Amino acid sequence: QLQLVESGGDLVHPGGSLRLSCTASGSTLVDYVIGWFRQAPGKGSEEREGVSCIGSRGTTYYRDSVKGRATISVDRAKNTVYLQMNNVQSADTGVYYCASMRSRFADARVCPNWKNFNSWGQGTQVTVSS
């Protein structure tokens, strides 16, 4: 089972950019889909929204609200998955978690649902505010 640690959360002005990192240990990423989830302010853990995810064969998923603004990528040498977000908006505010699912394929059937993922990091706070 993977252990995951997120970093990169920050206070960002609307229209700005940030890059979140999710570093894994305990195994390589080859057999896992890594997803990024957002828990909005005032929402519970069961309301985490799937933002993006990536599979070992490069398949990706993006939530409609971030398409064109977010890019997910993986550095296998560092065992790290990145989420680059540009033109951030107030609706992007929340705690961002990365999570793993034992699978190689990332698509819209599995990525949006947090229940498909069984190992979670501790989260990193993203606040978009002027």
Side-chain angles (χ1 to χ4, degrees), residues 2-6 22-23 35-36 48 95-100 118-124:
L2 291 180
Q3 292 80 50
L4 304 171
V5 178
E6 304 95 334
C22 172
T23 300
W36 282 99
R48 292 176 182 177
V95 179
Y96 282 70
Y97 296 88
C98 68
S100 66
N118 52 27
S119 184
W120 293 78
Q122 84 288 350
T124 186

Side-chain angles (χ1 to χ4, degrees), residues 3-119:
Q3 292 80 50
L4 304 171
V5 178
E6 304 95 334
S7 62
D10 205 350
L11 171 62
V12 189
H13 292 307
S17 298
L18 57 81
R19 188 178 77 163
L20 304 180
S21 300
C22 172
T23 300
S25 61
S27 178
T28 64
L29 297 174
V30 66
D31 291 323
Y32 293 89
V33 168
I34 302 298
W36 282 99
F37 292 81
R38 177 179 63 236
Q39 185 170 336
K43 301 289 188 180
S45 60
E46 294 192 352
E47 298 174 277
R48 292 176 182 177
E49 300 174 332
V51 177
S52 181
C53 71
I54 188 166
S56 63
R57 299 192 178 188
T59 52
T60 58
Y61 160 82
Y62 294 97
R63 185 179 186 84
D64 284 348
S65 62
V66 303
K67 285 181 179 177
R69 301 191 295 118
T71 303
I72 191 168
S73 61
V74 59
D75 184 332
R76 301 200 181 281
K78 296 182 178 180
N79 229 32
T80 298
V81 173
Y82 301 100
L83 181 67
Q84 174 73 38
M85 294 190 66
N86 301 320
N87 190 25
V88 296
Q89 303 165 9
S90 58
D92 295 322
T93 293
V95 179
Y96 282 70
Y97 296 88
C98 68
S100 66
M101 170 178 62
R102 197 169 182 92
S103 175
R104 295 193 175 196
F105 299 100
D107 61 31
R109 294 172 297 173
V110 297
C111 289
N113 190 346
W114 63 268
K115 294 180 180 179
N116 292 322
F117 293 76
N118 52 27
S119 184

